[in-house]
Amino acid sequence: MIQVNLDRVLVEQKMTSKELAEKIGITAVNLSKFKTGKAKGVRFNTLNKLCATLNCQPGDILEYTPDEINQGKENIPNKS
């Protein structure tokens, strides 16, 4: 599962969600969906703006943690 750690990065940068949304040009609602993991995806352009504005790496914002369903299973699709 992908965990979003944007709240932690915002605290480190002493920035509010509202300020960040304004700086990167997205709505506060869409940023909130991303922060809570309810967004269905994130565009690379948006991720680029997040990292540039927060002076961080994508791995500072997004973290993969195995969930119980996928532990021990290969998650690589078949090449057939």
Coordinates of all heavy atoms in Angstrom, one line a residue:
M1 N 0.8 -1.2 0.0 CA 0.0 0.0 0.0 C 0.9 1.2 0.0 O 2.0 1.2 0.6 CB -0.9 -0.1 1.2 CG -1.2 1.1 2.0 SD -2.5 0.8 3.1 CE -1.8 1.5 4.6
I2 N 0.4 2.3 -0.6 CA 1.2 3.5 -0.7 C 0.7 4.5 0.4 O -0.5 4.7 0.5 CB 1.1 4.2 -2.1 CG1 1.6 3.3 -3.2 CG2 1.8 5.6 -2.1 CD1 3.0 3.0 -3.1
Q3 N 1.6 4.9 1.2 CA 1.2 5.8 2.3 C 1.7 7.2 1.9 O 2.8 7.4 1.4 CB 1.9 5.4 3.6 CG 1.6 6.2 4.8 CD 2.3 5.7 6.1 OE1 2.6 4.5 6.1 NE2 2.5 6.6 7.0
V4 N 0.9 8.2 2.2 CA 1.2 9.6 1.9 C 1.6 10.3 3.1 O 0.9 10.3 4.1 CB 0.0 10.3 1.2 CG1 0.4 11.8 0.9 CG2 -0.5 9.6 0.0
N5 N 2.9 10.8 3.1 CA 3.4 11.5 4.3 C 3.5 13.0 4.1 O 4.4 13.6 4.7 CB 4.9 10.9 4.6 CG 4.8 9.4 4.9 OD1 4.0 9.0 5.7 ND2 5.7 8.7 4.3
L6 N 2.6 13.5 3.4 CA 2.7 15.0 3.1 C 2.5 15.8 4.3 O 3.1 16.9 4.5 CB 1.6 15.3 2.0 CG 1.6 16.8 1.5 CD1 3.0 17.1 1.0 CD2 0.6 16.9 0.4
D7 N 1.7 15.4 5.3 CA 1.5 16.2 6.5 C 2.8 16.3 7.2 O 3.1 17.4 7.7 CB 0.5 15.5 7.4 CG -1.0 15.8 7.1 OD1 -1.2 16.8 6.5 OD2 -1.8 14.9 7.4
R8 N 3.6 15.3 7.3 CA 4.9 15.4 8.0 C 5.8 16.4 7.3 O 6.5 17.2 8.0 CB 5.5 14.0 8.0 CG 6.9 14.0 8.7 CD 7.5 12.6 8.8 NE 7.5 11.9 7.5 CZ 8.4 12.0 6.5 NH1 9.3 12.9 6.6 NH2 8.3 11.3 5.4
V9 N 5.8 16.3 6.0 CA 6.7 17.2 5.2 C 6.2 18.7 5.4 O 7.0 19.6 5.5 CB 6.7 16.8 3.7 CG1 7.5 17.8 2.9 CG2 7.3 15.4 3.6
L10 N 4.9 18.9 5.4 CA 4.4 20.2 5.6 C 4.8 20.8 7.0 O 5.1 22.0 7.1 CB 2.8 20.2 5.5 CG 2.3 20.2 4.1 CD1 0.8 19.9 4.1 CD2 2.6 21.4 3.3
V11 N 4.7 20.0 8.0 CA 5.1 20.4 9.4 C 6.6 20.8 9.3 O 7.0 21.8 9.9 CB 4.9 19.3 10.4 CG1 5.5 19.6 11.7 CG2 3.4 19.1 10.6
E12 N 7.4 19.9 8.7 CA 8.9 20.2 8.6 C 9.1 21.5 7.9 O 10.1 22.3 8.3 CB 9.6 19.1 7.9 CG 9.6 17.8 8.7 CD 10.1 16.6 7.9 OE1 10.5 16.8 6.7 OE2 10.2 15.5 8.4
Q13 N 8.3 21.8 6.9 CA 8.5 23.1 6.1 C 7.8 24.3 6.7 O 7.8 25.4 6.1 CB 8.0 22.8 4.7 CG 8.8 21.8 3.9 CD 10.2 22.2 3.6 OE1 10.5 23.4 3.4 NE2 11.2 21.3 3.6
K14 N 7.0 24.0 7.8 CA 6.2 25.1 8.4 C 5.3 25.8 7.4 O 5.2 27.0 7.3 CB 7.1 26.1 9.1 CG 8.0 25.5 10.2 CD 8.9 26.5 10.9 CE 9.6 25.9 12.0 NZ 10.9 25.6 11.8
M15 N 4.6 24.9 6.7 CA 3.7 25.4 5.6 C 2.3 24.8 5.8 O 2.2 23.6 6.3 CB 4.2 25.0 4.2 CG 3.4 25.6 3.1 SD 4.1 25.1 1.5 CE 5.7 25.8 1.5
T16 N 1.2 25.5 5.5 CA -0.1 25.0 5.6 C -0.5 24.3 4.3 O 0.1 24.6 3.3 CB -1.1 26.0 6.0 OG1 -1.2 27.0 4.9 CG2 -0.8 26.8 7.3
S17 N -1.5 23.5 4.4 CA -2.0 22.8 3.2 C -2.6 23.9 2.2 O -2.4 23.8 1.0 CB -3.2 21.9 3.5 OG -2.7 20.8 4.2
K18 N -3.2 24.9 2.8 CA -3.8 26.0 1.9 C -2.7 26.7 1.2 O -2.8 27.0 0.0 CB -4.6 26.9 2.8 CG -5.2 28.0 2.0 CD -6.0 29.0 2.9 CE -6.6 30.1 2.1 NZ -7.4 31.0 2.9
E19 N -1.6 27.0 1.9 CA -0.4 27.7 1.2 C 0.1 26.8 0.1 O 0.4 27.3 -1.0 CB 0.7 28.0 2.3 CG 0.3 29.1 3.3 CD 1.4 29.2 4.4 OE1 1.9 28.1 4.8 OE2 1.7 30.3 4.7
L20 N 0.3 25.6 0.4 CA 0.9 24.7 -0.6 C 0.0 24.6 -1.8 O 0.5 24.6 -2.9 CB 1.1 23.3 0.0 CG 1.7 22.2 -0.9 CD1 3.0 22.6 -1.5 CD2 1.8 20.9 -0.2
A21 N -1.3 24.4 -1.6 CA -2.3 24.3 -2.7 C -2.2 25.5 -3.6 O -2.1 25.4 -4.8 CB -3.7 24.1 -2.2
E22 N -2.1 26.7 -3.0 CA -2.0 28.0 -3.7 C -0.7 28.0 -4.5 O -0.7 28.4 -5.7 CB -2.1 29.2 -2.8 CG -3.5 29.4 -2.3 CD -3.6 30.5 -1.2 OE1 -2.5 31.1 -0.9 OE2 -4.7 30.7 -0.7
K23 N 0.4 27.6 -3.9 CA 1.7 27.7 -4.6 C 1.8 26.7 -5.8 O 2.5 27.0 -6.7 CB 2.8 27.4 -3.6 CG 3.1 28.5 -2.6 CD 4.2 28.2 -1.6 CE 4.4 29.4 -0.7 NZ 5.7 29.3 0.0
I24 N 1.2 25.5 -5.7 CA 1.3 24.6 -6.8 C 0.2 24.6 -7.7 O 0.2 23.9 -8.7 CB 1.6 23.1 -6.3 CG1 0.4 22.6 -5.5 CG2 2.8 23.1 -5.4 CD1 0.5 21.1 -5.2
G25 N -0.8 25.4 -7.4 CA -1.9 25.7 -8.4 C -3.0 24.6 -8.4 O -3.5 24.2 -9.5
I26 N -3.3 23.9 -7.3 CA -4.4 23.0 -7.2 C -5.3 23.4 -6.1 O -5.0 24.2 -5.3 CB -3.9 21.5 -7.0 CG1 -3.3 21.3 -5.6 CG2 -3.0 21.1 -8.1 CD1 -3.0 19.9 -5.3
T27 N -6.5 22.9 -6.1 CA -7.5 23.2 -5.1 C -7.1 22.6 -3.8 O -6.5 21.5 -3.8 CB -8.9 22.8 -5.5 OG1 -9.0 21.4 -5.5 CG2 -9.3 23.4 -6.9
A28 N -7.6 23.2 -2.7 CA -7.4 22.6 -1.4 C -8.1 21.3 -1.3 O -7.6 20.4 -0.6 CB -7.9 23.6 -0.3
V29 N -9.2 21.1 -1.9 CA -9.9 19.9 -1.9 C -9.1 18.7 -2.5 O -9.0 17.6 -2.0 CB -11.3 20.0 -2.6 CG1 -12.0 18.6 -2.8 CG2 -12.2 20.9 -1.8
N30 N -8.5 19.0 -3.7 CA -7.7 18.0 -4.4 C -6.4 17.7 -3.5 O -6.0 16.5 -3.5 CB -7.3 18.4 -5.8 CG -8.5 18.2 -6.7 OD1 -9.4 17.5 -6.5 ND2 -8.4 19.0 -7.8
L31 N -5.9 18.7 -2.9 CA -4.7 18.4 -2.1 C -5.1 17.6 -0.9 O -4.4 16.6 -0.5 CB -4.0 19.7 -1.6 CG -2.8 19.6 -0.8 CD1 -1.7 18.8 -1.6 CD2 -2.3 20.9 -0.3
S32 N -6.2 17.8 -0.3 CA -6.7 17.1 0.8 C -7.0 15.6 0.4 O -6.6 14.7 1.2 CB -8.0 17.7 1.3 OG -8.6 16.9 2.4
K33 N -7.5 15.4 -0.7 CA -7.7 14.0 -1.2 C -6.4 13.3 -1.4 O -6.3 12.1 -1.0 CB -8.5 14.0 -2.6 CG -9.9 14.3 -2.5 CD -10.6 14.3 -3.8 CE -12.1 14.7 -3.7 NZ -12.7 14.7 -5.0
F34 N -5.4 14.0 -1.9 CA -4.1 13.4 -2.0 C -3.5 13.0 -0.6 O -3.0 11.9 -0.4 CB -3.2 14.3 -2.8 CG -1.8 13.8 -2.9 CD1 -1.5 12.7 -3.7 CD2 -0.7 14.4 -2.2 CE1 -0.2 12.2 -3.8 CE2 0.6 14.0 -2.3 CZ 0.9 12.8 -3.1
K35 N -3.6 14.0 0.3 CA -3.0 13.8 1.6 C -3.6 12.6 2.4 O -3.0 12.0 3.1 CB -3.2 15.1 2.5 CG -2.3 16.2 2.2 CD -2.5 17.4 3.0 CE -3.1 17.2 4.3 NZ -3.3 18.4 5.1
T36 N -4.9 12.4 2.2 CA -5.6 11.4 2.9 C -5.6 10.0 2.2 O -6.1 9.0 2.6 CB -7.1 11.7 3.1 OG1 -7.8 12.0 1.9 CG2 -7.2 13.0 4.0
G37 N -5.0 10.0 1.0 CA -4.9 8.8 0.2 C -6.1 8.4 -0.5 O -6.3 7.3 -1.0
K38 N -7.0 9.4 -0.7 CA -8.3 9.1 -1.3 C -8.2 9.5 -2.8 O -9.2 9.2 -3.6 CB -9.4 9.9 -0.7 CG -9.7 9.4 0.7 CD -10.8 10.1 1.4 CE -11.0 9.5 2.8 NZ -12.1 10.2 3.5
A39 N -7.1 10.1 -3.3 CA -7.0 10.4 -4.7 C -6.7 9.1 -5.4 O -6.0 8.2 -4.9 CB -5.8 11.4 -4.9
K40 N -7.2 9.0 -6.7 CA -7.0 7.8 -7.5 C -5.6 7.8 -8.1 O -5.2 6.8 -8.6 CB -8.1 7.7 -8.5 CG -9.5 7.4 -7.9 CD -10.5 7.2 -8.9 CE -11.9 7.2 -8.2 NZ -12.7 6.1 -8.5
G41 N -5.0 8.9 -8.1 CA -3.7 9.0 -8.8 C -3.1 10.4 -8.6 O -3.8 11.3 -8.1
V42 N -1.9 10.5 -9.0 CA -1.2 11.9 -8.9 C -0.4 12.0 -10.2 O 0.3 11.1 -10.6 CB -0.4 12.0 -7.7 CG1 0.8 11.0 -7.6 CG2 0.2 13.5 -7.6
R43 N -0.6 13.2 -10.8 CA 0.2 13.4 -12.1 C 1.6 13.7 -11.7 O 1.9 14.3 -10.7 CB -0.4 14.6 -12.8 CG -1.8 14.3 -13.3 CD -2.4 15.5 -14.0 NE -3.8 15.2 -14.3 CZ -4.4 15.6 -15.4 NH1 -3.7 16.4 -16.3 NH2 -5.6 15.3 -15.7
F44 N 2.5 13.3 -12.6 CA 4.0 13.6 -12.4 C 4.2 15.1 -12.3 O 5.0 15.5 -11.5 CB 4.8 13.0 -13.5 CG 5.0 11.5 -13.3 CD1 4.5 10.6 -14.2 CD2 5.8 11.0 -12.2 CE1 4.7 9.2 -14.0 CE2 6.0 9.7 -12.0 CZ 5.5 8.8 -12.9
N45 N 3.5 15.9 -13.1 CA 3.6 17.3 -13.0 C 3.3 17.8 -11.6 O 4.0 18.7 -11.1 CB 2.7 17.9 -14.1 CG 2.9 19.4 -14.2 OD1 4.0 19.9 -14.1 ND2 1.8 20.1 -14.4
T46 N 2.2 17.3 -11.0 CA 1.8 17.7 -9.7 C 2.9 17.3 -8.7 O 3.3 18.1 -7.8 CB 0.5 17.2 -9.3 OG1 -0.5 17.6 -10.3 CG2 0.0 17.6 -7.9
L47 N 3.4 16.1 -8.8 CA 4.4 15.6 -7.9 C 5.7 16.4 -8.0 O 6.3 16.7 -7.1 CB 4.7 14.1 -8.2 CG 5.6 13.4 -7.3 CD1 5.2 13.4 -5.8 CD2 5.8 11.9 -7.7
N48 N 6.0 16.8 -9.3 CA 7.2 17.7 -9.5 C 7.0 19.0 -8.8 O 7.9 19.5 -8.2 CB 7.3 17.9 -11.0 CG 8.6 18.6 -11.4 OD1 9.7 18.2 -11.0 ND2 8.4 19.7 -12.0
K49 N 5.8 19.6 -8.9 CA 5.5 20.9 -8.2 C 5.6 20.7 -6.7 O 6.1 21.6 -6.0 CB 4.2 21.4 -8.6 CG 4.1 21.9 -10.1 CD 2.7 22.4 -10.4 CE 2.6 22.8 -11.8 NZ 1.2 23.2 -12.1
L50 N 5.1 19.6 -6.2 CA 5.1 19.4 -4.8 C 6.6 19.3 -4.3 O 7.0 20.0 -3.3 CB 4.5 18.1 -4.4 CG 2.9 18.0 -4.4 CD1 2.4 16.6 -4.3 CD2 2.4 18.8 -3.2
C51 N 7.4 18.5 -5.0 CA 8.8 18.4 -4.6 C 9.6 19.7 -4.7 O 10.4 20.0 -3.9 CB 9.4 17.3 -5.4 SG 8.8 15.6 -5.0
A52 N 9.3 20.4 -5.8 CA 10.0 21.7 -6.0 C 9.7 22.7 -4.9 O 10.5 23.4 -4.4 CB 9.7 22.2 -7.4
T53 N 8.4 22.8 -4.6 CA 7.9 23.7 -3.6 C 8.4 23.4 -2.2 O 8.7 24.3 -1.4 CB 6.4 23.8 -3.7 OG1 6.0 24.2 -5.0 CG2 5.9 24.9 -2.7
L54 N 8.4 22.1 -1.9 CA 8.7 21.6 -0.6 C 10.2 21.3 -0.4 O 10.7 20.9 0.6 CB 7.9 20.4 -0.2 CG 6.4 20.7 -0.1 CD1 5.6 19.4 0.0 CD2 6.1 21.6 1.1
N55 N 10.9 21.4 -1.5 CA 12.4 21.1 -1.6 C 12.6 19.7 -1.0 O 13.4 19.5 0.0 CB 13.2 22.1 -0.8 CG 14.7 22.0 -1.0 OD1 15.1 21.6 -2.1 ND2 15.5 22.4 0.0
C56 N 11.9 18.7 -1.6 CA 12.0 17.3 -1.1 C 12.1 16.4 -2.3 O 12.0 16.8 -3.4 CB 10.9 17.0 -0.2 SG 9.3 16.9 -1.0
Q57 N 12.2 15.1 -2.0 CA 12.1 14.0 -3.0 C 10.8 13.3 -2.9 O 10.1 13.3 -1.9 CB 13.3 13.0 -2.7 CG 14.7 13.6 -2.8 CD 15.0 13.9 -4.3 OE1 14.7 13.2 -5.2 NE2 15.6 15.1 -4.4
P58 N 10.4 12.7 -4.0 CA 9.1 11.9 -4.0 C 9.0 10.9 -2.9 O 8.0 10.8 -2.3 CB 9.1 11.2 -5.4 CG 9.9 12.1 -6.3 CD 11.0 12.6 -5.4
G59 N 10.1 10.3 -2.5 CA 10.2 9.3 -1.4 C 9.9 10.0 0.0 O 9.6 9.3 0.9
D60 N 10.1 11.3 0.1 CA 9.7 12.0 1.3 C 8.2 12.1 1.5 O 7.7 12.2 2.6 CB 10.4 13.4 1.3 CG 11.9 13.4 1.3 OD1 12.5 12.4 1.8 OD2 12.4 14.3 0.7
I61 N 7.5 12.1 0.4 CA 6.1 12.3 0.4 C 5.3 10.9 0.3 O 4.3 10.7 1.0 CB 5.6 13.2 -0.8 CG1 6.3 14.5 -0.7 CG2 4.1 13.3 -0.9 CD1 6.1 15.4 -1.9
L62 N 5.8 10.0 -0.5 CA 5.2 8.7 -0.7 C 6.1 7.6 -0.2 O 7.3 7.6 -0.4 CB 5.0 8.5 -2.2 CG 4.1 9.5 -2.9 CD1 4.1 9.3 -4.4 CD2 2.7 9.5 -2.4
E63 N 5.4 6.6 0.4 CA 6.1 5.5 1.0 C 5.3 4.2 0.7 O 4.1 4.2 0.9 CB 6.3 5.7 2.5 CG 6.9 4.6 3.3 CD 7.0 4.9 4.8 OE1 6.6 5.9 5.2 OE2 7.5 4.0 5.5
Y64 N 6.0 3.2 0.3 CA 5.4 1.9 0.1 C 5.6 1.0 1.3 O 6.7 0.9 1.9 CB 6.0 1.1 -1.1 CG 5.6 -0.3 -1.2 CD1 4.3 -0.6 -1.7 CD2 6.4 -1.3 -0.8 CE1 3.8 -1.9 -1.7 CE2 5.9 -2.6 -0.8 CZ 4.7 -2.9 -1.3 OH 4.2 -4.2 -1.4
T65 N 4.4 0.5 1.8 CA 4.5 -0.5 2.9 C 3.6 -1.7 2.5 O 2.5 -1.5 2.0 CB 3.9 0.1 4.2 OG1 2.6 0.6 4.0 CG2 4.8 1.2 4.8
P66 N 4.2 -2.9 2.6 CA 3.4 -4.1 2.2 C 2.1 -4.2 3.0 O 2.2 -4.0 4.2 CB 4.3 -5.2 2.4 CG 5.7 -4.6 2.7 CD 5.5 -3.2 3.1
D67 N 1.0 -4.5 2.4 CA -0.2 -4.8 3.1 C -0.3 -6.3 3.3 O 0.4 -7.0 2.8 CB -1.4 -4.2 2.5 CG -1.6 -4.6 1.0 OD1 -1.0 -5.6 0.6 OD2 -2.4 -4.0 0.3
E68 N -1.2 -6.7 4.2 CA -1.3 -8.1 4.6 C -1.7 -8.9 3.4 O -1.3 -10.1 3.3 CB -2.4 -8.2 5.7 CG -1.9 -7.6 7.0 CD -3.0 -7.8 8.1 OE1 -3.9 -8.6 7.9 OE2 -2.9 -7.1 9.1
I69 N -2.5 -8.4 2.5 CA -2.9 -9.2 1.3 C -1.8 -9.6 0.4 O -1.7 -10.7 -0.1 CB -4.0 -8.4 0.5 CG1 -5.2 -8.2 1.4 CG2 -4.3 -9.1 -0.8 CD1 -6.3 -7.3 0.8
N70 N -0.8 -8.6 0.2 CA 0.2 -8.8 -0.7 C 1.5 -9.4 -0.1 O 2.5 -9.6 -0.8 CB 0.5 -7.5 -1.5 CG -0.6 -7.2 -2.4 OD1 -1.2 -8.0 -3.0 ND2 -0.9 -5.9 -2.4
Q71 N 1.6 -9.5 1.2 CA 2.8 -10.0 1.8 C 3.2 -11.4 1.3 O 2.3 -12.3 1.3 CB 2.7 -10.0 3.3 CG 2.9 -8.6 3.9 CD 3.0 -8.6 5.4 OE1 2.5 -9.5 6.0 NE2 3.6 -7.6 6.0
G72 N 4.4 -11.5 0.9 CA 4.8 -12.9 0.4 C 4.4 -13.2 -1.0 O 4.8 -14.3 -1.5
K73 N 3.7 -12.4 -1.7 CA 3.3 -12.6 -3.0 C 4.1 -11.8 -4.0 O 4.4 -10.7 -3.7 CB 1.8 -12.3 -3.2 CG 0.9 -13.3 -2.5 CD -0.6 -12.9 -2.8 CE -1.5 -13.9 -2.0 NZ -2.9 -13.6 -2.3
E74 N 4.3 -12.3 -5.1 CA 5.0 -11.6 -6.2 C 4.1 -10.6 -6.8 O 3.0 -11.0 -7.2 CB 5.6 -12.5 -7.2 CG 6.6 -11.9 -8.2 CD 7.9 -11.4 -7.5 OE1 8.3 -12.1 -6.6 OE2 8.4 -10.4 -8.0
N75 N 4.4 -9.3 -6.9 CA 3.5 -8.3 -7.4 C 3.9 -7.9 -8.8 O 3.5 -6.9 -9.3 CB 3.4 -7.1 -6.5 CG 2.7 -7.4 -5.3 OD1 1.7 -8.1 -5.2 ND2 3.2 -6.8 -4.2
I76 N 4.7 -8.7 -9.5 CA 5.1 -8.4 -10.8 C 4.2 -9.1 -11.8 O 4.0 -10.3 -11.7 CB 6.6 -8.9 -11.1 CG1 7.5 -8.2 -10.1 CG2 7.0 -8.6 -12.5 CD1 8.9 -8.7 -10.1
P77 N 3.6 -8.4 -12.8 CA 2.7 -9.0 -13.7 C 3.4 -10.0 -14.6 O 4.6 -9.9 -14.9 CB 2.1 -7.8 -14.5 CG 2.8 -6.6 -14.1 CD 3.7 -6.9 -12.9
N78 N 2.6 -11.0 -15.1 CA 3.2 -11.9 -16.0 C 3.5 -11.2 -17.3 O 2.8 -10.3 -17.8 CB 2.1 -13.1 -16.3 CG 1.9 -13.9 -15.1 OD1 2.8 -14.0 -14.2 ND2 0.7 -14.5 -15.0
K79 N 4.6 -11.7 -18.0 CA 5.0 -11.1 -19.3 C 4.4 -11.9 -20.5 O 5.0 -11.8 -21.5 CB 6.5 -11.1 -19.3 CG 7.1 -10.1 -18.3 CD 8.6 -10.0 -18.5 CE 9.1 -9.0 -17.6 NZ 10.6 -8.7 -17.8
S80 N 3.4 -12.7 -20.3 CA 2.9 -13.5 -21.4 C 1.9 -12.7 -22.2 O 1.4 -11.7 -21.9 CB 2.3 -14.8 -20.9 OG 1.4 -14.6 -19.8

